[in-house]
Amino acid sequence: MMHYTLSNKMKEDEVNRCQIQEWYPKFKSLSIKTRIHELPEPFVQYLLDDSGPFLLPVSISNEDAFPNRIHNPEEEDDYQVSEGSDDEAEQPPLPPSFPELELQVKESIESLGGSVFPKLNWSAPKDSAWISTTGTLKCSSFSEIALLLRSSDSLVHDLCHAYDSCHDKTSSRPKSFVLALRKWYQSLKPEMEFRCFVRNQNLVGISQREVTTFYPALLEKKDSLRVLIEDFFVENLMSRFESENYTFDVYVTEDDRVKVVDFNPWGAFTLPLMFTWEELDQNCSELGDDGVDFRIVEGQCVVRPGLKTAVPYDYLDTSSGSGWDQFMRNADEELQQQTRNAQAGA
C-alpha cells in the first residue's frame, strides 16, 4: 500500500491563493459580504505577545468587549494596591490602543448591518467563541473583535505556521496580515454548508461540513444538492480559480443559490471531514458516470463528535439551540436532578 504524505504536495502559491484578500475580490459577487482591512504590524505583534498580562486595547469609542456584564465597583476594590505596599513600584503595563484601525473597523461594521464575524488571512477564531457574551463569533464592536482574536490559539496558524507544509517554503509569514469582517447572518443553517474537494481541477468529493450532527432533511435533498454544487463549480470556479488542487466551502440558500464561504489548500491543515485524503486521491482516478462522491451523515451512528475542529460554521458555536448549547443544558438539568435527589435522601 502506498504511504500517503501530504507535506510534499503543497506549494506556497497554493496557500497564498486561499487567503481571503486574494480570492474575495475575484468572487465577491458569489460570496458573503466582506470588508477587508490590512493590519498594522503593532496589532500583529499584540496578537502574538503572550509575555505579559491579558490586556484588551483601549477603545477610543468607549466600547466594551463585555457589554452585558454586571459592573461591581466593590469587586474592583479587592484588587487595589494600597499606598506604601511592596507592590507600589510595580506599575501595571498600559493597554495598547489602535485608534486608526478601530475607526476603520467601526465604519465597516456599520456598513455590514451592525454585526460581523472576524477572520484573518485564512482562519477564524472559532476556538475562542466561548469567551464572547453570545457564545458565537458575532461581533458588533472593535473591542469584541480584539477579545476573540487575542484569545484564540487557532490563529497562531495564520500568524506563524501557514507555510509549514509547503515543500517550497521560503517564508515564515505572509507579506501582510488582514482582518476580514464578514456580514453576520442570523438565519444561516449549519447543515447547508458543504466542503468540496478539487483534484487536478476536477471536483472529486463533497462532504457535509458540520459532521457532528445528523440532519434527516439532508437525505431527501442529497441528489439535488449534488447537482447544484457541481453546476456551480463548473460554471463559476473550474476555470477561474488558478490552483489545480484545493478545497472550497459553500453555503446553499433556501432559494437554491450557492455562495462561496472559503477556499483552503489541498491537504495539510485542511480537514477532509467525511473522507480521508487517500480516498479523495482514489476518487480522482475513478471518476465515472455516477457523479461526484457526496457524503453526508446518514444516521446518528455515523456522527463524528470527536472531530472537534470540524465544527464548520464560523457562525455557530455555543449559541442558543446549537448542539453544544443543548449539551450544556442537558448537563445542567442532570446536575440539578442529582442535587434534588441528594437533598431528598438527606
Side-chain angles (χ1 to χ4, degrees), residues 40-156:
E41 186 61 26
F43 189 80
V44 175
Q45 293 306 314
Y46 163 71
L47 296 181
L48 285 168
D49 182 20
D50 60 359
S51 60
F54 187 100
L55 296 173
L56 288 176
V58 173
S59 171
I60 59 173
S61 306
N62 293 318
E63 294 172 333
D64 192 342
F66 298 102
N68 298 322
R69 66 178 172 177
I70 299 173
H71 182 66
N72 189 348
E74 293 179 5
E75 291 181 358
E76 293 182 358
D77 292 340
D78 295 339
Y79 299 94
Q80 298 296 326
V81 179
S82 60
E83 292 184 12
S85 73
D86 293 338
D87 295 331
E88 187 175 14
E90 295 183 14
Q91 296 296 325
L94 294 174
S97 181
F98 307 98
E100 248 184 81
L101 179 62
E102 181 177 352
L103 288 174
Q104 293 169 5
V105 166
K106 183 180 177 68
E107 180 187 348
S108 289
I109 292 174
E110 291 172 355
S111 72
L112 292 170
S115 298
V116 299
F117 75 91
K119 68 177 295 179
L120 298 189
N121 301 35
W122 294 276
S123 307
K126 292 187 283 289
D127 60 321
S128 58
W130 62 272
I131 204 171
S132 76
T133 54
T134 62
T136 70
L137 297 190
K138 179 182 180 182
C139 296
S140 57
S141 70
F142 176 73
S143 296
E144 292 176 339
I145 291 169
L147 174 66
L148 289 178
L149 298 180
R150 187 69 173 81
S151 305
S152 175
D153 291 327
S154 65
L155 293 187
V156 173

Side-chain angles (χ1 to χ4, degrees), residues 6 14 18 23 25 50 62 92 113 149 155 157 189 205 234 239 250 255 267 291 311 335 344:
L6 292 168
E14 294 173 337
C18 294
W23 66 259
D50 60 359
N62 293 318
L149 298 180
L155 293 187
H157 162 267
K189 301 176 181 178
V234 171
S239 61
V250 296
D255 57 355
V311 177
L335 179 61

